[in-house]
Amino acid sequence: MLLPGAGIASADRLSVLNGANVAALERPDGEWEVVQFQQAALVDQGRYRLGMLLRGQRGTGGLTREPLASGTRFVILNDTLATLDLAQAERGLQRFYRVGPAQFGVSHPSYVDVSATFRGTALRPFAPARISLSGQLGADIMIGWIRQTRIGGDNWEQVEVPLGEAQEAYRLRILSGGAVLRETTQSGPSFTYTAAMQVADGVSAGDEITVAQLSNAYGYGPEKRITIDG
């Protein structure tokens, strides 16, 4: 990993679990996966070898299916980052910025023009966790999952994490290849896929079930998926 001009260091396990050593990796589709690392070994000028990675952090667990290629952009996430104050109506609109050193005015030649469109990813709901199936094809299949939250979920003493959204809602899809055999909206973390539904859908072993949580402010978050066995 090449990181010119920015030194990083290893951290102990507890520090990482408490939020140390956070970075983001840009995927080919423009999405950013957030990772953490415990080990950082300097192997050359500006080059590090990272170890003990935690992938899919901060709600990006739905972005870890495909491997990332060499040369992927890598950004350290620390206190030097600033948050843009955007209104809800500005989401998805192309904006133009001039970016440069704070000690100079925006007309200084060190400033560059940047065009960007922001989708409000901080509002995106997390993918459900631990999706599971009970039953088999030809009989009712019970599908269950565990809701994750993007707000107030770090307290391990609470019985259930806060919802963090205006309502609890999920989109469940039955997929065969890229074709959608069935789509339904659920208000709780479970669904019964009856034998009659299976016959109507023409579902077969190897087809997939996906579940995504809904945010009224953002839309659907990343999907969690599981394969139907025979």
Side-chain angles (χ1 to χ4, degrees):
M1 186 268 295
L2 176 63
L3 196 67
I8 57 176
S10 300
D12 60 77
R13 181 173 179 270
L14 184 58
S15 295
V16 173
L17 294 177
N18 280 327
N21 283 358
V22 184
L25 293 163
E26 186 180 24
R27 297 166 45 83
D29 58 6
E31 292 278 9
W32 290 83
E33 179 190 347
V34 178
V35 301
Q36 288 181 267
F37 55 93
Q38 183 177 346
Q39 301 169 352
L42 182 65
V43 295
D44 200 351
Q45 181 66 35
R47 292 185 178 273
Y48 296 82
R49 179 178 293 111
L50 305 184
M52 299 296 289
L53 294 175
L54 289 175
R55 295 194 60 188
Q57 299 297 88
R58 300 189 183 181
T60 61
L63 307 176
T64 61
R65 293 190 303 273
E66 299 86 7
L68 295 174
S70 175
T72 294
R73 195 190 317 188
F74 180 96
V75 178
I76 294 293
L77 303 182
N78 55 30
D79 294 338
T80 63
L81 294 178
T83 301
L84 291 176
D85 187 13
L86 294 179
Q88 180 75 4
E90 295 178 297
R91 286 182 51 223
L93 300 179
Q94 185 179 23
R95 313 294 292 183
F96 298 90
Y97 304 91
R98 281 188 59 79
V99 182
Q103 66 266 34
F104 301 130
V106 295
S107 61
H108 193 271
S110 62
Y111 273 67
V112 296
D113 294 320
V114 176
S115 172
T117 301
F118 298 101
R119 297 187 297 130
T121 305
L123 301 174
R124 182 173 60 192
F126 291 4
R130 297 187 182 181
I131 185 171
S132 62
L133 305 180
S134 176
Q136 59 185 6
L137 287 174
D140 289 357
I141 297 177
M142 302 298 295
I143 306 167
W145 56 90
I146 296 176
R147 173 173 55 81
Q148 295 196 84
T149 184
R150 61 185 178 83
I151 299 174
D154 291 334
N155 186 349
W156 286 36
E157 296 182 359
Q158 53 196 352
V159 176
E160 180 62 275
V161 295
L163 176 59
E165 308 296 341
Q167 61 175 328
E168 184 171 9
Y170 308 90
R171 180 185 64 198
L172 183 142
R173 288 175 169 174
I174 312 296
L175 303 178
S176 180
V180 179
L181 304 180
R182 178 178 294 269
E183 181 174 318
T184 180
T185 300
Q186 299 300 117
S187 59
S190 64
F191 175 71
T192 302
Y193 193 28
T194 66
M197 291 176 182
Q198 297 168 34
V199 172
D201 297 342
V203 70
S204 60
D207 291 342
E208 291 186 307
I209 299 171
T210 69
V211 182
Q213 188 174 3
L214 173 67
S215 163
N216 289 350
Y218 180 88
Y220 287 103
E223 292 180 323
K224 191 72 172 181
R225 62 183 58 212
I226 191 171
T227 301
I228 303 173
D229 296 328

